[in-house]
């Protein structure tokens, strides 16, 4: 990884209830950029929160990350604006996409140390927020999902900070590859076996892939 990876924006927000399609929806997907330094704990950034703690948040999903490189792709496709934070991410970054980041990669950013734990699983709230029903499925198909960090060392992160790769997994499995096996090559037993053996993979995704492996072997 020879190029500079940078924090374009740090985005936080607490859950709120909005009316969509005439129904109330409580969600933490509306994140706003913050200019000042923010404390990052094992669970989240100061001032951030999730509404659905079953599918979002927790130590393995402390920080949602989205590459800024994808924003122009969605703008061209849907003819509307996608700014930093549009995908409910905490960190909008540049210089690092799913193709080049691997499960288990450890980065120093600001005074914190973080580790890639899993791809982001696009949910229906993204479709609701942007009024684009197919958006979550399109993110899966393209592999432009973003990913999550767990926090190894708490610290302070600011817009403009550089992400420095500290350590890489012995079996580098890119987020793009994991997405391909998750959504496209769903019956690739050998690949799934390799993925579940990656120690840095989140508990949820290990269970998800393990269950699929069990079903395929029956």
């Amino acid at each position: 990884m020879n190029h500079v990876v940078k924090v374009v924006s740090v985005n936080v927000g607490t859950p709120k209830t909005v009316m969509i399609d005439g129904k109330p929806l409580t969600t933490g997907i509306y994140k706003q950029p913050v200019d000042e330094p923010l404390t990052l704990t094992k669970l989240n950034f100061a001032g951030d929160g999730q509404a659905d703690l079953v599918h979002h948040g927790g130590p393995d999903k402390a920080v949602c990350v989205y590459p800024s490189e994808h924003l122009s792709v969605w703008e061209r496709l849907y003819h509307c604006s996608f700014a930093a934070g549009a995908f409910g991410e905490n960190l909008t970054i540049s210089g690092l996409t799913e193709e080049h980041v691997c499960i288990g990669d450890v980065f120093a950013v600001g005074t914190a140390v973080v580790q890639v734990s899993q791809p982001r699983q696009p949910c229906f709230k993204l479709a609701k927020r942007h009024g684009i029903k197919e958006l979550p499925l399109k993110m899966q198909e393209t592999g432009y999902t973003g990913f999550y960090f767990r926090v190894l060392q708490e610290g302070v992160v600011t817009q403009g900070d550089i992400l420095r790769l500290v350590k890489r997994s012995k079996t580098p499995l890119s987020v793009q590859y994991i997405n391909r096996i998750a959504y496209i090559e769903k019956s690739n037993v050998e690949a799934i076996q390799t993925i579940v053996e990656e120690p840095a993979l989140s508990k949820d995704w290990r269970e998800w892939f393990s269950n699929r492996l069990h079903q395929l072997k029956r």
Side-chain angles (χ1 to χ4, degrees):
M1 210 172 292
N2 301 319
H3 49 279
V4 175
V5 183
K6 190 176 180 180
V7 175
V8 175
S9 181
V10 182
N11 318 297
V12 297
T14 51
K16 63 179 183 177
T17 301
V18 292
M19 293 299 290
I20 296 178
D21 300 333
K23 296 178 182 176
L25 177 69
T26 302
T27 174
I29 204 169
Y30 293 91
K31 309 291 184 191
Q32 295 298 322
V34 177
D35 294 336
E36 66 261 23
L38 279 185
T39 299
L40 176 59
T41 71
K42 293 277 186 180
L43 291 179
N44 56 19
F45 276 105
D48 195 51
Q50 295 83 24
D52 176 4
L53 293 174
V54 174
H55 298 102
H56 303 284
D60 280 341
K61 292 179 280 188
V63 182
C64 185
V65 186
Y66 203 71
S68 61
E69 286 83 354
H70 302 332
L71 299 179
S72 60
V73 175
W74 302 120
E75 286 178 346
R76 284 196 301 273
L77 188 61
Y78 294 115
H79 309 291
C80 59
S81 175
F82 288 90
F87 289 85
E89 77 273 15
N90 301 116
L91 292 181
T92 314
I93 63 169
S94 65
L96 187 67
T97 61
E98 294 86 353
E99 182 184 359
H100 300 292
V101 67
C102 296
I103 303 299
D105 282 357
V106 176
F107 293 92
V109 55
T111 59
V113 179
V114 295
Q115 183 181 44
V116 181
S117 58
Q118 65 167 70
R120 189 256 184 90
Q121 225 165 345
C123 77
F124 77 98
K125 290 179 181 178
L126 281 163
K128 294 291 187 185
R129 174 178 175 176
H130 295 290
I132 304 169
K133 190 177 180 180
E134 67 184 58
L135 184 58
L137 183 60
K138 208 74 174 171
M139 289 170 72
Q140 290 179 4
E141 288 173 350
T142 57
Y144 295 168
T145 59
F147 46 92
Y148 279 102
F149 287 147
R150 65 170 60 89
V151 178
L152 301 183
Q153 177 184 302
E154 298 183 346
V156 176
V157 180
T158 315
Q159 177 189 358
D161 280 346
I162 302 300
L163 284 89
R164 184 171 56 83
L165 182 64
V166 176
K167 185 182 175 186
R168 172 148 276 188
S169 169
K170 290 175 184 173
T171 51
L173 300 166
S174 73
V175 170
Q176 182 189 62
Y177 177 75
I178 304 273
N179 278 330
R180 194 167 83 235
I181 302 305
Y183 303 119
I184 298 166
E185 295 180 35
K186 297 180 182 181
S187 302
N188 190 330
V189 171
E190 189 180 344
I192 296 169
Q193 188 71 59
T194 303
I195 290 168
V196 297
E197 288 170 1
E198 166 53 59
L201 186 68
S202 71
K203 179 175 175 281
D204 286 352
W205 274 59
R206 190 186 318 285
E207 287 177 359
W208 187 49
F209 273 123
S210 295
N211 289 337
R212 185 185 293 178
L213 195 60
H214 180 67
Q215 289 167 357
L216 290 168
K217 286 181 173 180
R218 281 168 69 180

